[in-house]
Amino acid sequence: MTNTQQEYLKSLLAPLGFADKLKNFCDFLDFLAEKNQELNVISRKLPIETIILEHLYDCIGGFEYFKPFSVITDLGSGGGFPGLLLGIAFPDKVVNLVEKSPKKTAYLNEAVKTLGLKNVRVHSCLVNDFHEKTDVFTCRAFKSTEQIIQMTMAYFKKGMPYLLFKGRKETIDMELSQIKGLKYITKLEKICPEIKDKERYLLFLQNQN
């Protein structure tokens, strides 16, 4: 990354309280850029500034809501958004990454080793087969809200909270309207004001019982 790109990233991290993690996030972006040539984790055509704003900042913008939780589980971790970033931001928390793809699992394991993320654990399995202790579930660009609940129903029934990264409010409302026969509470937080042309929300969801 160039000095200009690092300064741009720092300008986004500082208001969120993560400026001290600048080098760590830069190391992640360098690793991503290298591996992306092999795996196409995200579009190779995206300039680094777009990746910083619409992928990295898009996640970190909601991280304040994860502070109360000690164990976080990211479902369908893929390229590590938000899982690897949570591991960097909160070295004192345990972060589980659940990913079924062997190639992406290998990528995540290599990232954990290269970035020295001793608090991050990679689970190569289907979401339905994940049974570890956790305090909260999260995911980004994974499944619909109803599908996520169905895949983690045992946790949902016990009152497990979910913090889901979502886009347009219209889509969120539609997804929630499709959930039948379950009582739950929701709260929607608008995040990432720097992304001017896209709606970004963090959806809190929990079994009402």
Side-chain angles (χ1 to χ4, degrees):
M1 293 179 63
T2 67
N3 290 336
T4 301
Q5 291 164 347
Q6 290 185 34
E7 285 301 316
Y8 174 55
L9 175 55
K10 185 178 180 179
S11 73
L12 296 173
L13 294 176
L16 302 174
F18 294 110
D20 62 322
K21 300 293 190 302
L22 175 63
K23 183 182 183 305
N24 306 84
F25 286 123
C26 286
D27 289 344
F28 166 77
L29 288 169
D30 287 337
F31 175 83
L32 175 66
E34 177 186 347
K35 290 299 171 183
N36 201 41
Q37 297 305 310
E38 306 171 22
L39 303 173
N40 199 28
V41 176
I42 56 177
S43 174
R44 298 189 184 103
K45 298 179 181 179
L46 293 179
I48 184 64
E49 290 80 8
T50 301
I51 295 173
I52 289 172
L53 181 64
E54 297 187 7
H55 288 276
L56 191 142
Y57 172 69
D58 181 73
C59 294
I60 300 173
F63 278 10
E64 65 175 291
Y65 299 99
F66 290 86
K67 290 180 179 178
F69 304 105
S70 298
V71 185
I72 303 167
T73 298
D74 177 30
L75 305 174
S77 298
F81 300 96
L84 287 174
L85 303 180
L86 283 162
I88 293 171
F90 300 113
D92 58 329
K93 301 180 186 298
V94 173
V95 180
N96 293 307
L97 310 183
V98 182
E99 175 56 52
K100 69 175 183 179
S101 166
K103 287 186 178 180
K104 290 179 180 178
T105 298
Y107 158 84
L108 292 170
N109 276 314
E110 186 174 352
V112 167
K113 182 178 180 180
T114 301
L115 301 172
L117 301 177
K118 297 181 180 179
N119 60 322
V120 177
R121 302 168 182 171
V122 180
H123 301 264
S124 180
C125 65
L126 296 171
V127 169
N128 309 63
D129 296 328
F130 177 81
H131 304 294
E132 302 289 333
K133 176 188 179 298
T134 188
D135 296 325
V136 65
F137 280 121
T138 190
C139 61
R140 176 179 181 266
F142 181 48
K143 301 285 186 181
S144 72
T145 305
E146 182 182 30
Q147 288 174 307
I148 292 166
I149 292 174
Q150 292 300 329
M151 297 168 87
T152 58
M153 183 56 71
Y155 292 92
F156 178 80
K157 288 181 177 179
K158 294 178 181 178
M160 177 67 60
Y162 297 70
L163 287 172
L164 310 177
F165 288 85
K166 295 289 186 177
R168 297 172 58 200
K169 187 176 184 300
E170 180 181 354
T171 303
I172 297 170
D173 291 339
M174 180 190 68
E175 288 189 2
L176 293 176
S177 71
Q178 294 173 342
I179 302 174
K180 307 297 182 182
L182 297 175
K183 294 182 179 181
Y184 55 89
I185 56 174
T186 63
K187 184 178 180 181
L188 207 57
E189 296 289 348
K190 191 171 179 60
I191 60 173
C192 304
E194 294 293 330
I195 305 178
K196 303 296 184 183
D197 58 341
K198 295 183 180 180
E199 294 180 59
R200 301 305 301 162
Y201 291 93
L202 195 66
L203 172 64
F204 171 86
L205 181 144
Q206 191 172 27
N207 184 347
Q208 194 170 16
N209 297 322

